[in-house]
Structure formats: C-alpha cells, structure tokens
Amino acid sequence: MSKFKKKKSGDLPAVSTASLPDIVFMLLFFFMTVTVMKDSDLMVDNVMPYATEVQKLDKKDPVMYIYAGKPTSKYSKKFGTSDKVQINDKFVSPSEIKDFVLEYQSGLRQELQDRFITALKVDQDTNMGIITDVKEELRDANALKINYITKEGDALQNVK
C-alpha cells in the first residue's frame, strides 16, 4: 500500500465565478448607454418618397417630428381611412399643430429655440392639401425651418 495517491488526469478544475457580477454590470451599463429609446409609436402608414438631393440633419439641433398619412390597419377602424396628422402619440387636426409647436419650443433652452427644426415625415400617397394646412399652421407658429424626410434614390421612382 502506498501513502500517496496518483492524481487523476481527467478532472477539470472548477470554473471561478468571482468576476461574473462585474461582467454582468459592465454589460448592463454598456447597453444602458448605447440604447436609444423610441419616441413614439407610428400610427400612420409611412412610405417615404425618394429624392436625389438628400442631407442628414445635424444631431445638435432640436427636431420635432410631424407624421402624415393614412392610419395603419390597427387604427383605421377607429379613425377612418382619410389622411391624418400625428404628433407624438396622438392624431391632431392641422389647427392644433400651432399649440404643439409653441409648447415644444417653450420647453427648449433659450439658445436652442432659434435653431428649432420641424421635420415632416409624410407618406408618398398623402393628399397635398393636408400638408399645405400643416405648413400654414407652422408659419403661424413661426416655425419656419421645415425639413421633409425622404429616402435617397431616383425621384422618378415616386411616379406610379
């Protein structure tokens, strides 16, 4: 009989879990800083038209988005199938836009109020009359910087 036992070569050492909480919190912090929160749910159809001269908006400028188009199938039973204007998470009439714009501008810092931009995300099949009404209300609210959001491509693709 021997006093020493031979070591078994098939055993694996136990995995150390001491650094596991550090890794989990580091990943949690990473995803919290990189994740972008969604502003609002889109309640209108939004197939944007194509344009050739496209520029990106400067991220430093405050932007208010106004969506226009026919309500999606989820909302068409309640609101009908005619063109609607959406700001934030609700449908508004063009006459209510001025109030929304003034409220948004008053919430901005003083130095950002003159750089305020209104971005129109309009479905390509939307009636131009409702867009004209929206632009008139924006003019009344002194929101004169207006951008149309489009997809980059040949403008002839818009013709059906």
Side-chain angles (χ1 to χ4, degrees):
M1 282 197 173
S2 69
K3 292 185 177 184
F4 301 104
K5 292 184 181 179
K6 289 186 177 181
K7 209 178 201 184
K8 294 181 183 177
S9 61
D11 290 345
L12 292 173
V15 176
S16 173
T17 59
S19 64
L20 191 59
D22 294 336
I23 295 170
V24 168
F25 284 118
M26 184 174 58
L27 285 172
L28 179 68
F29 181 73
F30 172 76
F31 285 117
M32 284 175 48
T33 55
V34 222
T35 303
V36 176
M37 301 305 278
K38 196 165 138 180
D39 285 343
S40 61
D41 290 328
L42 196 57
M43 298 167 58
V44 295
D45 290 330
N46 204 300
V47 179
M48 293 180 287
Y50 291 96
T52 54
E53 302 299 320
V54 179
Q55 292 179 336
K56 286 193 171 198
L57 287 174
D58 190 12
K59 294 279 185 185
K60 297 174 187 170
D61 293 337
V63 179
M64 177 181 177
Y65 292 95
I66 297 177
Y67 304 95
K70 295 188 183 341
T72 59
S73 59
K74 180 179 176 183
Y75 298 101
S76 63
K77 292 177 185 171
K78 185 175 180 182
F79 295 105
T81 57
S82 64
D83 293 333
K84 300 285 183 196
V85 177
Q86 176 190 347
I87 298 178
N88 297 334
D89 279 332
K90 70 184 241 182
F91 289 123
V92 296
S93 67
S95 61
E96 297 174 284
I97 291 175
K98 183 177 179 180
D99 297 332
F100 276 97
V101 170
L102 294 175
E103 181 182 337
Y104 184 81
Q105 272 184 321
S106 66
L108 294 174
R109 294 192 318 254
Q110 186 67 32
E111 63 269 10
L112 294 178
Q113 286 183 358
D114 59 339
R115 293 179 23 204
F116 164 69
I117 297 174
T118 305
L120 297 177
K121 280 187 145 184
V122 180
D123 185 61
Q124 65 184 6
D125 295 328
T126 302
N127 186 351
M128 195 57 196
I130 198 165
I131 304 305
T132 304
D133 294 342
V134 168
K135 288 172 50 176
E136 285 177 6
E137 288 296 319
L138 290 173
R139 189 178 308 128
D140 290 343
N142 202 24
L144 303 177
K145 294 182 183 178
I146 300 174
N147 285 356
Y148 290 97
I149 298 182
T150 64
K151 290 190 270 184
E152 189 170 358
D154 187 14
L156 294 176
Q157 291 175 317
N158 298 324
V159 180
K160 292 182 181 181

